[in-house]
Amino acid sequence: KQEVTQIPAALSVPEGENLVLNCSFTDSAIYNLQWFRQDPGKGLTSLLLIQSSQREQTSGRLNASLDKSSGRSTLYIAASQPGDSATYLCAVRAGNNRKLIWGLGTSLAVNP
Amino acid sequence: GAGVSQSPSNKVTEKGKDVELRCDPISGHTALYWYRQRLGQGLEFLIYFQGNSAPDKSGLPSDRFSAERTGESVSTLTIQRTQQEDSAVYLCASSLVGGGLAGAYSGANVLTFGAGSRLTVL
């Protein structure tokens, strides 16, 4: 059974710091992995999607990596800003499964 | 539309009443998902629609929950005889195609979420 874990559960950093959020999954037979951010009252925003054949994806200050063999993904945020404060969620889609399996998220606070 | 629209944004109801939640996906998106998020918990899959295929209802928690979607348009999630444990934010998402169908174009799998419907059962 696929399980997704995100560490840390909460993180507070000063503005400008580079940071890494971690996501681990138990079954390496995944189709893809997605990172989302959740802002209160605004639903979820998709940040990056990495296919199982890819190693990383980049969008602006965000870089997501995928290591299927070790069951890990990281989301790197460069030069963090207060506007980055949100909950970051990782979700994996198994090979033949239409469902996304979600982590519980990392709550990030970037302090000015 | 430009995004996924959900209504109502907030619903307070009494225990035992029926509620209906609506999701209007992005035009052209064949896949539509309903999720539930209880306070302090992760997202919980409820149901998945892909085009005209039979929906995947395996996440519905009880027979009080049902959902419909006509073609590739609006979907409604109905909760009958609501209970206090049904209180949650109900999120709808759509994507161009569903899981396993995107082929080489990974962007087709990307989910766009609505802002959610917050349900409070008193």
Side-chain angles (χ1 to χ4, degrees):
Chain A
K1 179 186 172 186
Q2 179 72 272
E3 292 183 0
V4 178
T5 305
Q6 289 188 247
I7 295 173
L11 184 62
S12 180
V13 300
E15 181 176 4
E17 204 165 283
N18 300 326
L19 56 99
V20 174
L21 307 181
N22 296 292
C23 172
S24 59
F25 45 96
T26 54
D27 186 344
S28 62
I30 65 169
Y31 183 75
N32 60 38
L33 182 147
Q34 300 184 47
W35 282 94
F36 297 83
R37 69 175 277 169
Q38 184 173 29
D39 295 274
K42 295 184 180 179
L44 290 162
T45 303
S46 178
L47 297 174
L48 291 164
L49 180 148
I50 312 178
Q51 293 286 54
S52 62
S53 58
Q54 297 174 323
R55 297 283 293 181
E56 66 177 340
Q57 285 283 343
T58 298
S59 176
R61 293 182 294 107
L62 304 180
N63 176 277
S65 68
L66 175 64
D67 184 343
K68 270 202 328 177
S69 60
S70 66
R72 299 168 77 98
S73 175
T74 61
L75 179 67
Y76 175 82
I77 303 177
S80 58
Q81 302 171 358
D84 295 331
S85 298
T87 296
Y88 289 80
L89 292 153
C90 154
V92 301
R93 190 189 303 277
N96 293 318
N97 194 317
R98 295 162 178 165
K99 304 170 199 173
L100 288 176
I101 310 299
W102 297 82
L104 292 181
T106 294
S107 178
L108 173 66
V110 180
N111 306 306
Chain B
V4 177
S5 298
Q6 290 189 246
S7 61
S9 56
N10 271 291
K11 176 72 176 179
V12 180
T13 190
E14 293 179 349
K15 178 181 173 181
K17 301 281 190 182
D18 297 351
V19 297
E20 190 173 278
L21 308 177
R22 177 187 167 107
C23 173
D24 205 337
I26 291 175
S27 178
H29 278 197
T30 65
L32 186 146
Y33 305 75
W34 282 99
Y35 292 89
R36 175 171 73 175
Q37 186 172 33
R38 291 179 168 137
L39 189 65
Q41 298 187 19
L43 281 169
E44 179 185 0
F45 167 79
L46 296 177
I47 188 169
Y48 161 66
F49 296 91
Q50 172 60 56
N52 293 316
S53 302
D56 179 349
K57 304 180 181 180
S58 59
L60 295 178
S62 77
D63 59 8
R64 295 186 296 105
F65 288 72
S66 62
E68 293 185 349
R69 186 185 188 199
T70 305
E72 295 178 358
S73 60
V74 171
S75 175
T76 55
L77 176 68
T78 302
I79 309 172
Q80 295 178 309
R81 304 181 302 281
T82 52
Q83 304 293 315
Q84 288 182 333
E85 65 262 27
D86 298 336
S87 296
V89 175
Y90 289 81
L91 288 160
C92 174
S94 70
S95 64
L96 198 58
V97 296
L101 303 177
Y105 178 46
S106 63
N109 263 178
V110 174
L111 297 182
T112 301
F113 280 81
S117 293
R118 181 179 297 278
L119 174 66
T120 303
V121 182
L122 302 177

